[in-house]
Amino acid sequence: MALVYDGAIQRLIDAFAKLPGIGPKGAQRIAFYLLSASDEESQNLIDAIDEVKTKVRFCEVCGNVCETSPCPICADPRRDRGVICVVEEVKDVMSIERTHTFHGLYHVLGGAINPMAGVGPESLNIPKLLERLKEDGGVHEVILALNPNIEGDATTRFLSALLRPSGITVTRLASGLPVGGDLEYADEITLGRALEGRREA
């Protein structure tokens, strides 16, 4: 039988262990770090979590995180409103922004098609994308910047077939991104080149 700590400390370890990318040992280290942290440091963490849960929401236009909707990117008049870059997750927006090569708008799907996990097209933020394209006749290109893995490819194929009849140019990121990787971990140069070398989907 595995050894566990008593009461509150074990509940804290278990809570951290449920977070993505944190295993049991990492969760234990964080829990014991907080146990020895000052009251001020602990309170800062509590306040930051509370503030995120209270203030942060999803942009009603693109699905990005923000404190006021529409988000700063959607509200920026300097952005190219003729190009929409479709990404899987909110964190992918920042990955592309770090390249400083894309100046259009974004659309966050909230995932990718994955039948094994029960995620179909109906689970994604696709209707809002279609609504945006219908409402704003000025969009001339949609970039499908999805992760280069099986789920990302399936979603890219689905969206490409769905959007092509509209007459809007549909492109996807060029090669240079490793198959099976995530945009979150791509360096700025590789991701920038992939954006610049995008091709029709």
Side-chain angles (χ1 to χ4, degrees):
M1 179 190 261
L3 291 173
V4 294
Y5 294 96
D6 189 38
I9 191 67
Q10 188 60 48
R11 283 197 296 276
L12 186 59
I13 291 169
D14 292 343
F16 281 126
K18 289 177 183 174
L19 297 175
I22 299 178
K25 287 185 179 179
Q28 183 176 300
R29 279 194 298 274
I30 296 169
F32 278 101
Y33 172 80
L34 285 176
L35 192 61
S36 62
S38 68
D39 289 347
E40 183 184 3
E41 196 173 354
S42 299
Q43 191 58 50
N44 285 342
L45 178 62
I46 292 167
D47 292 344
I49 292 171
D50 184 55
E51 191 173 22
V52 162
K53 296 300 287 181
T54 305
K55 291 185 176 179
V56 175
R57 66 190 77 180
F58 293 99
C59 175
E60 61 199 20
V61 178
C62 71
N64 193 12
V65 288
C66 57
E67 290 190 15
T68 56
S69 185
C71 71
I73 293 175
C74 287
D76 187 347
R78 297 167 298 179
R79 306 291 297 207
D80 180 356
R81 311 195 96 63
V83 184
I84 294 178
C85 183
V86 178
V87 297
E88 288 181 29
E89 304 290 350
V90 166
K91 62 183 184 290
D92 299 331
V93 171
M94 193 50 61
S95 296
I96 291 175
E97 281 295 286
R98 282 198 308 264
T99 69
H100 304 291
T101 58
F102 179 70
H103 307 290
L105 300 176
Y106 292 94
H107 190 83
V108 181
L109 292 177
I113 295 171
N114 185 352
M116 298 294 285
V119 180
E122 69 285 348
S123 306
L124 304 177
N125 191 17
I126 295 174
K128 185 67 180 176
L129 173 63
L130 299 177
E131 189 182 310
R132 288 177 73 184
L133 296 176
K134 214 176 276 185
E135 286 175 0
D136 188 352
V139 176
H140 58 81
E141 182 183 6
V142 172
I143 304 170
L144 302 177
L146 309 180
N147 289 321
N149 53 27
I150 293 170
E151 294 81 11
D153 283 344
T155 310
T156 295
R157 285 194 301 274
F158 177 85
L159 288 174
S160 181
L162 185 67
L163 299 176
R164 194 171 286 118
S166 69
I168 295 170
T169 300
V170 181
T171 58
R172 64 183 300 172
L173 295 184
S175 58
L177 293 173
V179 174
D182 287 341
L183 291 181
E184 181 184 10
Y185 302 114
D187 66 276
E188 290 85 353
I189 294 171
T190 300
L191 192 51
R193 285 176 180 165
L195 262 174
E196 289 169 345
R198 63 186 181 269
R199 56 190 169 81
E200 197 153 325

